[in-house]
């Protein structure tokens, strides 16, 4: 059964952080955690990015996202939402 992982991404960010966010999304697809990432407006300040992954990959995908956020200093830009 697929599980959904949601990320809250700040809309107003610099070009460097924008590139890091794009690299995160690409890495999630490349690593096989998902095939597509859905993007929607949450409000005027944030996007809601969501993707489905298998239940076997859910913890690994979440750990990857959290590590990526920390290593790339994106804690003010991306929040992993509890689902």
């Amino acid at each position: 059964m697929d599980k959904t992982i949601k990320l809250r991404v700040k809309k107003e960010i610099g070009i460097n952080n924008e590139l890091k966010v794009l690299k995160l999304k690409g890495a999630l697809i490349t690593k096989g955690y998902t095939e597509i990432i859905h993007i929607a407006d949450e409000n005027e300040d944030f996007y809601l990015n969501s993707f489905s992954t298998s239940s076997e990959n859910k913890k690994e995908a979440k750990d990857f996202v959290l590590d990526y956020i920390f290593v790339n200093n994106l804690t003010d830009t991306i929040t992993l939402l509890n689902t």
Side-chain angles (χ1 to χ4, degrees), residues 5-82:
I5 296 176
K6 294 181 182 180
L7 306 171
R8 178 178 287 131
V9 181
K10 193 180 236 185
K11 285 185 178 181
E12 298 295 323
I13 57 176
I15 189 71
N16 289 334
N17 282 351
E18 188 173 331
L19 289 173
K20 290 177 186 178
V21 171
L22 289 173
K23 286 180 183 180
L24 169 61
K25 293 176 186 180
L28 289 167
I29 293 168
T30 301
K31 290 184 176 290
Y33 295 128
T34 189
E35 293 180 6
I36 188 165
I37 298 173
H38 303 278
I39 303 169
D41 282 333
E42 183 178 38
N43 56 39
E44 65 183 43
D45 297 320
F46 295 97
Y47 294 112
L48 185 60
N49 291 224
S50 61
F51 64 94
S52 294
T53 192
S54 67
S55 37
E56 297 85 32
N57 286 336
K58 185 174 182 182
K59 182 179 179 346
E60 186 179 335
K62 283 179 136 182
D63 290 345
F64 175 79
V65 169
L66 289 172
D67 288 344
Y68 189 94
I69 290 169
F70 179 74
V71 167
N72 289 280
N73 197 26
L74 293 171
T75 54
D76 292 338
T77 305
I78 303 174
T79 304
L80 179 65
L81 301 177
N82 290 326

